[in-house]
Amino acid sequence: MSRRETPMATTEAPPRPSARRRIVFSAVLGVISTLLFWVPWTGLLAPGAQWPVAVTVVGTAVVVGAWVAFPLLLIRSFTRHSDRAARIAMPLLGIAWIAFAWTLVTHVLRLALAVAGVENPFRARFVAVLLVVLIVGLSLYGYRQAMRVPRVRRQDVVLPRLDPAFDGLTIAVLADTHYGPIDRTEWSRRTVERVNELGADVVVHVGDIADGTVEQRRAQSTPLGEVQAPQRFYVSGNHEYLSNAQAWMEHMAELGWTSLHNQHRVLDRDGARLVFAGIDDITAAHSGEQGHGADLAAALAGVEPTDPVVLLAHQPSEIGKAVAAGVDLQLSGHTHGGQIWPFHLLVRLQQPVLQGLSDHGERTRLYTSRGAGFWGPPFRLFAPSEISLLTLRAA
């Protein structure tokens, strides 16, 4: 082989898919981190404010330190399942998101003040001080909202095919408890107490019990075994498939819940029938867990065409399949109602509904819970948590 041919022979092979994914993830995380911390810097330490040098230096050092630490802590929390890293990274993510969003809002105010003739440095300093107040105030408010026991949200749901024998049947809906790095065992107990106060005929958990394995979150999830209802049904969410969904199904069975793993159960009242069916989360098919994957046909196998069906499906995006199958009511969670304003705008890009009761097709209705807990950042901003109490009504 000639020297001229040598470079082609020694050219590096394309990175493996796993390496490529790591590169893409790192690049995306880098861009997001930079935006989350640089944009607030432009609002808090804009040159037009003419802050003293010490303020600018210290403020910039804090922002840069957070910008460097955040991705490192986030990666550690995911790759090494470090709760300690997550307890720093996730609040930091929430505060950074609040700062990012409200900096954009105050930039509009900054422009309005400029048009009105308000000069710097007063204009820039006024906006910066207002921004600090907003970030601190909204972070404290959002944390309080995330950590409180969810309020009960009541909703009547008319189902035209429901037999009058089931008129008035109540369903308490839990979703997205997301037990995680912050120990919320006491919150779990108090949430279960509130569910029990409702005296519902059926209690359902529509997925995302926890972030972590059963062993990691056993103490927080165990109070679910104290839920009191004649029927308790559970389906998996996407987060269970990050930490062994089968183990979570077995754990829920130990706690006395029926896992509707592409299955259904029939409730009978005086000869009238009402079907509760459940499917695995849509992400199950790619999780690598044997025997898992959303299968609505299997869940409805044996159901009579005249039977009204309540379907438990973690993500509202499954509503199209529910409509095609003639389901009467789908119960979902997943969206958190957006959790931290204005993240709901991004959620709506993926999900057809953000929260509440909606109609689809000729007879299918969808109820989307905002969820009881929170994912990641321990904040809820203008998207309050809920325990839903649905009362079924015949037409």
Side-chain angles (χ1 to χ4, degrees), residues 319-361:
I319 189 61
K321 299 172 186 175
V323 170
V327 166
D328 298 85
L329 173 64
Q330 176 177 316
L331 304 179
S332 298
H334 186 67
T335 68
H336 300 200
Q339 187 167 320
I340 307 176
W341 186 93
F343 196 76
H344 68 286
L345 298 175
L346 298 179
V347 175
R348 285 292 283 114
L349 295 177
Q350 189 211 14
Q351 298 294 332
V353 174
L354 192 67
Q355 55 89 26
L357 187 64
S358 54
D359 295 316
H360 304 265

Side-chain angles (χ1 to χ4, degrees), residues 149 177 179 184-194 219-224:
V149 174
T177 44
Y179 303 123
R184 289 182 292 139
T185 303
E186 182 59 28
W187 176 91
S188 183
R189 292 195 189 100
R190 292 168 59 203
T191 297
V192 166
E193 289 173 359
R194 182 154 296 180
Q220 295 181 63
S221 59
T222 294
L224 291 174

